[in-house]
Amino acid sequence: MSAPGTTPAAPRGSIGIPASQTLYVTNLNDKINKQDLRMALYTLFTTYGTVLDVVALKTMKMRGQAHIVFRDLNSAGAAMRALQGFNFMGKEMKIQYAKSKSDVLARLDGTYTLSTSAAAKAATGATSSTPFVPLPGQGGPTAGSSSTDAAQGLKRPREEESDEEAEMETED
């Protein structure tokens, strides 16, 4: 309760941070698989509105944290109010508005710009540190023509049963 003539207190976690379509969620269980965590967060937050993206990283700096990007501000606010302190996978979530604009939202409204390191990589033609891995049944952008194929090597065909394996089975 606030005293007469004063403004009511801002929701916990939003002091000094303007309302945003992206929520910053902390105190998440870091023992959960990243894909399972993303799917569970998406399922939980979709109840309050359209979720555009869920970013959950498992790096040492970002573990136990996630960013949830909503299509509109009202949905983000409703989710923050409803789920503040919600027991999610054994821990109480702490939710606040994100400090910066999400890349997904920036791309949608046309204000997205590459970061300086990403722009430098693009200018020099360098690729990211993680190679492109197509989904099963899909071909890569240039099948067999990249130099990363030679660096990674080719999978050897499996030989029929070798003599060593046969000896190991008979020793029991």
Side-chain angles (χ1 to χ4, degrees):
M1 298 281 184
S2 59
T6 61
T7 58
R12 185 175 165 225
S14 64
I15 299 171
I17 300 173
S20 170
Q21 292 169 256
T22 305
L23 296 179
Y24 173 62
V25 183
T26 58
N27 200 32
L28 297 173
N29 191 337
D30 57 353
K31 305 250 187 280
I32 307 297
N33 179 333
K34 182 168 78 168
Q35 281 300 87
D36 294 341
L37 178 65
R38 288 184 69 207
M39 184 58 72
L41 286 169
Y42 177 83
T43 305
L44 178 66
F45 281 89
T46 301
T47 308
Y48 301 95
T50 305
V51 174
L52 299 177
D53 194 18
V54 176
V55 179
L57 303 175
K58 297 294 265 188
T59 62
M60 195 59 150
K61 183 178 179 183
M62 288 296 295
R63 69 182 204 186
Q65 305 168 47
H67 288 87
I68 316 312
V69 183
F70 282 91
R71 182 176 296 262
D72 61 299
L73 187 61
N74 292 335
S75 299
M80 186 172 95
R81 285 187 299 276
L83 296 175
Q84 189 67 258
F86 182 77
N87 189 340
F88 181 73
M89 296 187 178
K91 294 181 112 182
E92 288 187 8
M93 288 192 295
K94 295 178 183 172
I95 306 172
Q96 61 187 10
Y97 291 117
K99 292 180 182 178
S100 60
K101 189 174 194 174
S102 168
D103 287 350
V104 173
L105 293 173
R107 286 184 181 132
L108 282 176
D109 66 14
T111 60
Y112 178 75
T113 56
L114 288 173
S115 65
T116 55
S117 61
K121 282 184 182 180
T124 61
T127 58
S128 69
S129 60
T130 27
F132 171 75
V133 180
L135 294 173
Q138 296 179 345
T142 54
S145 65
S146 71
S147 62
T148 57
D149 290 340
Q152 291 180 351
L154 298 173
K155 185 175 179 180
R156 287 188 310 167
R158 184 178 177 142
E159 296 177 13
E160 296 302 320
E161 192 172 308
S162 69
D163 293 334
E164 291 177 13
E165 290 177 2
E167 288 176 17
M168 291 170 60
E169 290 175 4
T170 58
E171 289 179 14
D172 289 337

